[in-house]
Amino acid sequence: MKPFTYERATSPAGAAAAAATAPGAKFIAGGTNLLDLMKLQVETPSHLIDVNGLGFDRIEPTPEGGLRVGALVRNTDLAADPRVRRDYAVLSRALLAGASGQLRNKATTAGNLLQRTRCPYFYDTNQACNKRRPGSGCAAIGGFTRGHAVVGASEQCIATHPSDMAVAMRVLDVTVETVRPDGSTRAIPIADFHRLPGDTPDVETALTKGELITAVVLPKPVGGRQTYAKVRDRASYAFALISIAAVIEPDGAGRVALGGVAHKPWRVAAADAALPQGAKAVTERLFADAHPTTENRFKLPLVERTLAATLAEHKAEAA
Amino acid sequence: MYEAVDAELSRRGVLAVGAASMAVSVAPAVGSARPAPELQPSTAHVAFEVNGERQALELDTRTTLLDALREHLHLTGSKKGCDHGQCGACTVIVDGRRINSCLTLAVMHEGSRVTTIEGLGSPGRLNPMQAAFVKHDGYQCGYCTPGQICSAVAVLDEIRAGIPSHVSADLNAPSATTSDELRERMSGNICRCGAYSNIIKAMSEVAEASGTPA
Amino acid sequence: MKFDQPATTNPIDQLKVIGYPHDRIDGPLKTTGHAPYAYERHDIVADPAYGFILGSAIAKGRIASIDTGAALAAPGVLKVVTWKEAGPLAKSKNHTAHLLAGPEVEHYDQAVAIVVADSFENARAAAKLVRIDYQREPGRFDLSQQVGRAPPKGASSGEGSGSEPVDRVGDFEAAYASAPVKIDRSYSTPDQSHSMMEPHATLAVWNGDRLTVWTSNQMIAWAVRDLSETLKIPKENVRVVSTYVGGGFGAKLWIRSDAVMAALAARAAGRPVKVALTRPQIMNNTTHRPATVQRIRLGAGHDGKITAIAHESWSGDLPGGKPETSVSQTKLLYAGANRLTADYLATLDLPEGNAMRAPGEAPGLMALEVAMDEMAEALGQDPIAFRILNDTQVDPEKPGRAFSHRNLIGCLELGADRFGWSRRNPRPGQVRAGRWLVGMGVAAGFRNNLLMKSAARVEVTRDGRVVVSTDMTDIGTGSYTIIAQTAAEMLGVPMETVTVNLGDSSFPASSGSGGQWGGNNSTAGVYAACQKMRDEVAQKLGSNSADIHFEGGQVQMGDRRIPLAEAAGGMSVEDAIEYGDLGKTYQQSTFAGHFVEVGVDAFTGEVRVRRMLAVCAAGRILNPKSARSQVIGAMTMGVGAALMEDAVVDKRIGYFVNHDLAEYHVPVHADIPHQEVIFLDETDPISSPMKAKGVGELGLCGVGAAVSNAVYNATGVRVRDYPITLDKLIERLPEVA
């Protein structure tokens, strides 16, 4: 870990301004991912701005009938909020499927969105990684790719986004609210928040320099039967091989988003539309442009079968 | 499929995988013998309470809460098993919540109330969870044990507080201390000696004695 | 004490303390965080310097140049030690790779330097400032390329099991060719990591030319020897202390780079230095269980009697290394007149392969006991009946040599009864419970019982306390407790009266902990010392041992009762158990029946263990509580081996890619159901005066195969390439539309 200076932010705009002006500055909230990476010098900020004192720690109703979730609301508290459990079960379920009790107690809503990939080549500074060091190459390509992206990847990067929460948020179409160094605010639809790797896999989100997430807004309840199916190699405390956030209406219509298959939570409009036709039709559309490797090809049938299970449960419950 | 690209190591040379001999180098960004100014460690003052005692420390900002406890306060009950939040051996209870003390900076805990394994009980006066671990042999080498016990105590509190888990069948129903619930909630604490089955017995006994909903 | 005749009745047979499920005496310290591990000795050194090891960034080649200037100039840095500054260093014969590289690099993350600084933070940061230019050379990283080509190589596993390069009995080829029923199967097991919870750690202190290390090590006397050989200093100048060891599983049988680098760093810095390996370093800097490829051929008559049995295994290691002796149990487990076993060793430039819990048998049984399941199916026989039919009471390679005690059949029969084996549907893929395909599997467990010399010192203090000192270690096995039980039984005192001091090379040398030999041998050593104390007390009192009893804290001689404090206060004796050739005359082994029920998600292929039972026949069980814990822990490791553990080799770069606990999966709480263990009530008087054998590795041996067989019974899909992850099942599972 490189030395860094540390300050406790006292106002959102002030924090954003400090982040924009201090070279090598980063925000820190829960720290569960940032400190992990700093210890390995994958992340090397020279200045940390602790935003924990900014008070974005409440969940409040919005005039539209939804909920505004403060950026600093801990994963445990978001998952346990009675309104979230009742109206946004997919979000509660996704959060509870992630990490461990200890990590959920510390990890924040904003930090979870900003989690970096678990690609083991990204984590080892001896290896090439365009995400960690742009232009150095991608050691994952041609290497151990069992957990890597099967869709939406590029010749520069085949990493996946590791968040469970973000997958549920994608299926719920949440909005990410931010403040920028000049004090202006904006709302970014979750669909536009995470980026595909393209030629700049180091640029992972739509955030600009110094921009600080202040809240995530959940739309008014979307109803439906909400599930989050996470498939992993051990029963708990493991990242997803694949995951499926689903909201299914009584008539079989609905929406699905996938985790563990791409550089961002993966959702395809045509796949949503195909839901009444069943798992095979949906999976074909989700993976219309898939480029799996020998090692991660299994994710395609796995998504189809997992979705089949979700739809079967829905049918059984509806009957 | 994409073309394989050689490792980071090769970035200083034009080298292909499989070449008979290749010169590669691993170098820091800073090459001079004099440290750049940004390499000077920064210190900060922090005060928090540990096991009921106020502690005021002047620390390198890089010091984790775990290292502050172990190396500065000599409270070595909290263990460093991985230092990356992957094992749970460092679990302590901060302001009523269990966390991985390895993944948080000490300076971020101004005013926090920290409870470590040493604060739960002592060899002559075991806390009920510690006693249950001894009775049910919920440990072997003992290295993950403080983290398991801190977690176990906090898990029962989480169930009492109605926080659901991944295996809760009904998100909106009260939580219970079934074996499945305990196993899921304890999964952030790895025990390579494999005392899991005994730990669940110890926890179940404490839960029952304390009237936590079963 | 020489043990060369089977034990007769002795004081241990009283079973007043031995055999009782006593709580661990180190429990209160461990559960309160007061048991000090190697890195935590603030009581020894108040202000040590911190070392941080820098590992090689390449797998094979040499260091062309190394520039430590920036690191040395970094804040707080005291010293940087590389091979250039290290002084005279050798490689002990027990290490395959050097513990410090330079200029040659033998494997990825091999230590190339240690940075010493005034704080952990400064040392870690400065390690990144060492500039190294490497000349990389091509390496051999792919075992599969050498299968069929690698030469035969026999070895001892270093932990008891062993094998000749090639063993032949009868005429395997002819018998196999003419067998009416036969199978020919290949299996593979991956590289595995011990992943004990306490990282390797050492505090090193020099006093003149004398070195003391507080370290985390299973074998104190070996550590002294290897530090002496490596640092080229006399053994008398080395003291090793491991009071508490946070798990080892073989990873701490031999000193690793933390010990050597801490010693070098402390000498260079002129002050005490402590070092711990980081979690990511553990996978590539230290040792691992090598991957294997195994071929098994079984031939039998229609009656199910095995007539031909062949087991061949390929594994790899660095030049000069050893094979994983996966075929060793196949020499002894089943009858059959025509036999072939062979271990082949490939050369690989991966980190050093070495012993991990039950080396040889653990991966060997993962293949053999699946092959037995496949053969039973080919014969149309029940897998338990098939095993019982082929049981042997003698060494099949040397029929004149009997087992000291063998009740594998009892394990299988009792287990079948308790587990409800009769409810198993022999047709696979038939039992469904909701989403789950459910199946049961069985496997035999087998692991040899090893005899090792072990010494101890026993003192009686003037106030009547009994103090036992031996360099034995407690790596979670319960040594503290069973040694106290042994002394309490032998000298007739309550447990509370006994103090046990372990893990210090200034104490008499014990068997140490490894190869499941620690429990039986170290307590037998304590038995020997206690017996000597009894003899000397008798002599002092003018009696002889046969007429004197130790009971209730008193020495009883006819009508006389003398408090032990009075009879023996101030006396101190030392003795060792030393074995004759009973280990050669008889085959000494331990046996188990492992039973597993799994559910396989019919949609996703996720495998979850639902029930587990182990029935063990392992001689006298000294403490059923800690012995049971050893077995359930081993069963847990077996689940990991079967379903998730896989140190993945990047065959281009030559290292284990998934080098942390997030990516190298070991079982968590949610993976492990309630586990049952039954110990058969037996003693083995040929083993030692304790009449005990080992259980710590037996609990692992066979578990992986039982899981695999259960997965097959659940799904009808046979996966012969461990671990059995869902990607290997998913495309072969029944359709679920």
Side-chain angles (χ1 to χ4, degrees):
Chain A
M1 194 182 288
K2 282 192 174 171
F4 56 85
T5 47
Y6 169 83
E7 71 168 286
R8 296 186 185 103
T10 50
S11 79
T21 49
K26 269 202 175 282
F27 301 119
I28 186 165
T32 53
N33 191 213
L34 181 58
L35 290 169
D36 172 29
L37 294 170
M38 284 170 63
K39 289 177 185 193
L40 301 167
Q41 291 202 11
V42 173
E43 294 271 15
T44 53
S46 52
H47 182 65
L48 282 187
I49 303 164
D50 182 343
V51 296
N52 282 294
L54 296 183
F56 304 130
D57 55 358
R58 284 184 296 279
I59 305 173
E60 294 166 325
T62 62
E64 293 75 26
L67 290 175
R68 174 172 283 102
V69 180
L72 294 168
V73 171
R74 308 289 152 169
N75 287 178
T76 297
D77 296 315
L78 182 56
D81 185 278
R83 294 161 293 184
V84 176
R85 285 150 77 170
R86 188 188 63 219
D87 297 330
Y88 306 93
V90 64
L91 178 56
S92 220
R93 287 289 183 197
L95 284 158
L96 294 171
S100 68
Q102 291 95 312
L103 290 164
R104 292 193 296 270
N105 280 340
K106 205 89 189 85
T108 63
T109 306
N112 193 321
L113 284 175
L114 298 174
Q115 271 187 90
R116 308 205 64 194
T117 184
R118 304 300 303 197
C119 171
Y121 300 96
F122 171 73
Y123 261 78
D124 188 330
T125 53
N126 290 326
Q127 311 309 333
C129 176
N130 288 321
K131 184 182 281 298
R132 175 168 27 78
R133 189 190 291 267
S136 63
C138 172
I141 294 173
F144 172 51
T145 57
R146 183 168 176 266
H148 287 77
V150 294
V151 68
S154 72
E155 295 190 11
Q156 310 303 323
C157 179
I158 58 170
T160 55
H161 194 266
S163 170
D164 292 297
M165 183 196 80
V167 181
M169 288 187 169
R170 180 69 186 87
V171 90
L172 290 169
D173 278 330
V174 306
T175 306
V176 181
E177 293 186 345
T178 67
V179 58
R180 286 189 277 197
D182 63 3
S184 66
T185 61
R186 65 168 175 157
I188 310 168
I190 186 77
D192 303 332
F193 185 80
H194 293 107
R195 296 163 48 106
L196 289 177
D199 289 337
T200 54
D202 54 313
V203 183
E204 296 172 347
T205 68
L207 296 178
T208 56
K209 190 166 172 55
E211 191 168 4
L212 175 68
I213 299 175
T214 55
V216 168
V217 175
L218 310 183
K220 71 173 199 280
V222 298
R225 185 171 180 275
Q226 301 190 8
T227 56
Y228 187 75
K230 179 173 180 177
V231 184
R232 42 189 160 177
D233 283 323
R234 63 183 178 193
S236 189
Y237 202 19
F239 291 94
L241 291 167
I242 65 104
S243 68
I244 304 180
V247 177
I248 312 287
E249 305 300 335
D251 63 0
R255 32 172 124 172
V256 290
L258 304 183
V261 301
H263 198 257
K264 57 187 278 189
W266 192 248
R267 190 164 164 209
V268 173
D272 283 0
L275 263 169
Q277 299 165 51
K280 191 172 167 52
V282 176
T283 307
E284 279 169 3
R285 285 157 179 79
L286 284 166
F287 292 133
D289 194 25
H291 292 278
T293 67
T294 315
E295 285 177 355
N296 63 30
R297 191 178 301 283
F298 74 94
K299 290 187 177 187
L300 277 61
L302 182 57
V303 163
E304 183 180 332
R305 295 177 70 103
T306 306
L307 183 58
T310 298
L311 297 179
E313 280 168 17
H314 172 75
K315 230 174 241 172
E317 199 165 284
Chain B
M1 294 290 290
Y2 305 102
E3 289 286 302
V5 179
D6 190 25
E8 168 80 337
L9 289 173
S10 68
R11 70 181 187 279
R12 282 171 181 258
V14 186
L15 304 158
V17 171
S21 174
M22 44 178 104
V24 292
S25 68
V26 174
V30 180
S32 75
R34 186 161 300 168
E38 73 264 24
L39 291 175
Q40 290 302 328
S42 167
T43 62
H45 182 84
V46 65
F48 43 69
E49 194 183 291
V50 182
N51 302 328
E53 253 181 72
R54 188 170 184 280
Q55 303 287 354
L57 298 166
E58 184 75 19
L59 293 174
D60 186 317
T61 52
R62 294 170 293 181
T63 311
T64 60
L65 177 59
L66 176 63
D67 283 331
L69 292 169
R70 283 170 63 82
E71 304 303 327
H72 296 266
L73 300 176
H74 295 186
L75 290 168
T76 54
S78 306
K79 303 302 184 194
K80 188 182 279 190
C82 73
D83 215 16
H84 288 275
Q86 301 163 357
C87 80
C90 66
T91 302
V92 299
I93 301 170
V94 176
D95 299 327
R97 289 274 179 96
R98 57 177 169 144
I99 64 166
N100 299 109
S101 61
C102 75
L103 283 189
T104 191
L105 296 170
V107 294
M108 293 169 71
H109 286 280
E110 182 65 32
S112 291
R113 282 172 298 110
V114 181
T115 302
T116 70
I117 189 71
E118 292 93 342
L120 289 178
S122 57
R125 244 188 30 198
L126 300 181
N127 141 308
M129 191 65 80
Q130 292 168 324
F133 267 63
V134 173
K135 177 180 167 188
H136 292 284
D137 217 32
Y139 62 97
Q140 292 190 45
C141 79
Y143 200 76
C144 76
T145 312
Q148 298 275 356
I149 292 174
C150 286
S151 220
V153 167
V155 159
L156 296 188
D157 285 343
E158 286 165 18
I159 291 175
R160 280 185 212 107
I163 294 171
S165 88
H166 171 63
V167 300
S168 305
D170 181 352
L171 274 183
N172 299 302
S175 301
T177 52
T178 62
S179 296
D180 278 350
E181 283 282 1
L182 298 180
R183 285 185 194 117
E184 161 59 23
R185 291 168 191 266
M186 288 297 290
S187 285
N189 290 87
I190 291 176
C191 170
R192 185 59 159 162
C193 295
Y196 295 136
S197 177
N198 290 351
I199 291 170
I200 298 304
K201 271 198 237 168
M203 288 180 70
S204 300
E205 183 176 284
V206 173
E208 200 172 316
S210 64
T212 309
Chain C
M1 174 184 286
K2 186 88 169 174
F3 184 78
D4 52 9
Q5 294 296 320
T8 53
T9 303
N10 67 40
I12 294 295
D13 293 324
Q14 300 172 98
L15 299 182
K16 287 180 180 163
V17 194
I18 285 291
Y20 178 78
H22 204 284
D23 290 345
R24 288 171 200 254
I25 60 175
D26 47 341
L29 288 178
K30 281 183 174 173
T31 56
T32 57
H34 288 274
Y37 296 79
Y39 200 78
E40 302 168 353
R41 299 312 296 257
H42 297 292
D43 58 325
I44 306 285
V45 178
D47 187 25
Y50 290 79
F52 195 93
I53 292 174
L54 175 66
S56 166
I58 63 165
K60 183 170 170 59
R62 50 186 290 124
I63 297 168
S65 70
I66 186 163
D67 178 359
T68 57
L72 273 168
V77 172
L78 304 169
K79 283 283 174 193
V80 178
V81 180
T82 71
W83 87 97
K84 293 179 180 174
E85 296 84 13
L89 269 188
K91 182 162 76 68
S92 104
K93 66 181 184 334
N94 295 289
H95 292 117
T96 305
H98 292 79
L99 295 176
L100 172 59
E104 298 300 322
V105 170
E106 294 160 295
H107 64 84
Y108 191 80
D109 230 348
Q110 186 175 23
V112 296
I114 183 165
V115 176
V116 188
D118 59 350
S119 75
F120 170 66
E121 291 76 19
N122 280 334
R124 179 177 58 189
K128 283 278 186 185
L129 300 175
V130 176
R131 183 200 162 105
I132 304 173
D133 291 313
Y134 293 99
Q135 283 290 128
R136 187 154 61 176
E137 291 163 20
R140 294 147 292 186
F141 308 122
D142 188 351
L143 174 63
S144 69
Q145 285 190 354
Q146 296 183 55
V147 169
R149 296 196 286 119
K153 165 95 176 158
S156 156
S157 70
E159 255 208 2
S161 65
S163 58
E164 298 299 312
V166 181
D167 261 6
R168 287 180 176 277
V169 176
D171 183 346
F172 168 77
E173 280 78 8
Y176 183 72
S178 64
V181 183
K182 54 187 150 191
I183 61 165
D184 179 351
R185 296 281 188 266
S186 289
Y187 306 88
S188 64
T189 63
D191 295 284
Q192 294 176 348
S193 168
H194 309 79
S195 294
M196 65 286 143
M197 297 312 299
E198 183 203 14
H200 302 265
T202 299
L203 165 66
V205 180
W206 288 90
N207 188 352
D209 58 0
R210 302 176 76 87
L211 169 69
T212 304
V213 293
W214 284 263
T215 189
S216 189
N217 193 282
Q218 300 172 223
M219 300 292 296
I220 300 301
W222 293 4
V224 170
R225 177 196 66 200
D226 292 343
L227 272 171
S228 148
E229 284 182 23
T230 306
L231 299 171
K232 297 187 165 183
I233 58 175
K235 264 164 76 163
E236 307 77 67
N237 289 5
V238 179
R239 181 178 165 217
V240 173
V241 185
S242 294
T243 315
Y244 292 95
V245 180
F249 312 112
K252 297 171 181 171
L253 279 172
W254 291 278
I255 55 162
R256 305 301 329 161
S257 62
D258 58 299
V260 169
M261 298 305 281
L264 294 175
R267 186 162 63 191
R271 60 186 276 196
V273 171
K274 66 176 182 178
V275 179
L277 295 188
T278 66
R279 183 54 62 177
Q281 286 175 332
I282 288 171
M283 192 85 86
N284 285 291
N285 177 269
T286 76
T287 63
H288 62 280
R289 186 203 298 284
T292 68
V293 174
Q294 301 179 49
R295 181 186 185 196
I296 295 178
R297 284 170 288 173
L298 297 173
H302 289 296
D303 60 355
K305 290 242 183 200
I306 294 172
T307 53
I309 181 167
H311 190 167
E312 296 164 278
S313 172
W314 288 262
S315 60
D317 200 0
L318 287 163
K322 290 184 297 190
E324 178 74 16
T325 54
S326 313
V327 306
S328 54
Q329 74 288 321
T330 307
K331 299 167 183 296
L332 292 161
L333 190 48
Y334 296 112
N338 302 287
R339 317 177 69 89
L340 163 64
T341 49
D343 280 312
Y344 306 95
L345 180 63
T347 303
L348 293 178
D349 298 299
L350 291 170
E352 177 175 331
N354 216 316
M356 176 169 151
R357 199 176 201 170
E361 284 92 341
L365 285 160
M366 287 167 76
L368 177 65
E369 285 298 287
V370 173
M372 288 296 284
D373 203 67
E374 300 202 53
M375 189 65 177
E377 189 180 36
L379 286 157
Q381 294 196 350
D382 174 78
I384 293 178
F386 175 56
R387 286 178 172 86
I388 290 173
L389 181 68
N390 287 290
D391 186 53
T392 175
Q393 292 294 313
V394 297
D395 176 346
E397 293 188 350
K398 304 180 189 78
R401 183 167 173 259
F403 282 89
S404 60
H405 187 82
R406 171 169 169 138
N407 194 5
L408 173 61
I409 293 178
C411 295
L412 292 170
E413 287 182 338
L414 182 63
D417 180 56
R418 295 294 175 84
F419 201 66
W421 185 255
S422 60
R423 295 198 302 275
R424 169 180 176 268
N425 188 330
R427 271 191 65 207
Q430 302 301 308
V431 181
R432 184 85 183 248
R435 273 179 76 147
W436 299 96
L437 299 163
V438 180
M440 288 188 214
V442 68
F446 177 92
R447 173 80 176 138
N448 286 338
N449 180 57
L450 284 311
L451 303 178
M452 305 259 292
K453 180 182 175 185
S454 193
R457 179 164 62 239
V458 173
E459 303 163 62
V460 177
T461 64
R462 303 217 177 265
D463 60 356
R465 287 199 66 77
V466 172
V467 181
V468 184
S469 302
T470 165
D471 83 355
M472 179 62 188
T473 48
D474 189 329
I475 60 173
T477 39
S479 310
Y480 277 107
T481 310
I482 57 174
I483 284 172
Q485 286 178 279
T486 303
E489 191 80 78
M490 290 297 292
L491 298 179
V493 296
M495 279 287 278
E496 298 69 43
T497 309
V498 183
T499 301
V500 180
N501 297 317
L502 298 184
D504 187 328
S505 60
S506 64
F507 303 149
S510 71
S511 64
S513 301
Q516 79 169 9
W517 64 57
N520 179 48
N521 292 294
S522 69
T523 54
V526 173
Y527 171 98
C530 288
Q531 187 57 49
K532 189 170 184 184
M533 174 66 81
R534 291 168 63 108
D535 293 344
E536 291 194 3
V537 169
Q539 198 176 19
K540 181 181 161 196
L541 296 176
S543 179
N544 66 64
S545 297
D547 300 332
I548 181 167
H549 300 283
F550 290 72
E551 205 178 300
Q554 296 181 318
V555 182
Q556 216 180 317
M557 223 171 34
D559 297 339
R560 278 179 69 194
R561 287 170 170 275
I562 307 161
L564 183 67
E566 192 181 310
M571 287 172 64
S572 174
V573 301
E574 189 175 322
D575 200 5
I577 191 83
E578 291 180 79
Y579 297 93
D581 55 8
L582 288 175
K584 292 196 184 77
T585 319
Y586 294 91
Q587 175 58 39
Q588 299 193 19
S589 303
T590 62
F591 306 89
H594 285 290
F595 294 80
V596 172
E597 181 180 280
V598 302
V600 180
D601 188 308
F603 290 88
T604 65
E606 289 165 289
V607 182
R608 302 289 182 248
V609 178
R610 296 157 71 96
R611 292 194 295 140
M612 299 184 84
L613 166 68
V615 183
C616 301
R620 171 175 283 149
I621 300 303
L622 304 175
N623 180 328
K625 182 176 282 193
S626 55
R628 179 181 173 281
S629 290
Q630 280 284 288
V631 175
I632 65 167
M635 290 158 77
T636 301
M637 196 174 272
V639 171
L643 298 179
M644 61 190 83
E645 293 186 35
D646 185 357
V648 177
V649 178
D650 185 310
K651 292 168 186 164
R652 309 161 305 168
I653 302 168
Y655 76 127
F656 297 120
V657 188
N658 49 342
H659 48 60
D660 61 31
L661 286 172
E663 303 299 321
Y664 180 84
H665 284 163
V666 302
V668 296
H669 272 276
D671 292 300
I672 302 302
H674 179 68
Q675 297 164 315
E676 292 285 351
V677 180
I678 299 170
F679 293 111
L680 295 188
D681 188 9
E682 63 172 43
T683 56
D684 191 337
I686 293 169
S687 168
S688 81
M690 303 303 292
K691 306 176 186 174
K693 294 191 279 199
V695 294
E697 299 190 339
L698 177 66
L700 170 61
C701 294
V703 174
V707 172
S708 173
N709 293 337
V711 170
Y712 174 73
N713 183 241
T715 61
V717 180
R718 188 72 79 175
V719 177
R720 300 186 182 87
D721 171 29
Y722 290 99
I724 306 170
T725 46
L726 61 88
D727 46 317
K728 299 169 188 170
L729 289 166
I730 188 112
E731 307 229 45
R732 294 154 72 191
L733 289 176
E735 284 293 316
V736 283

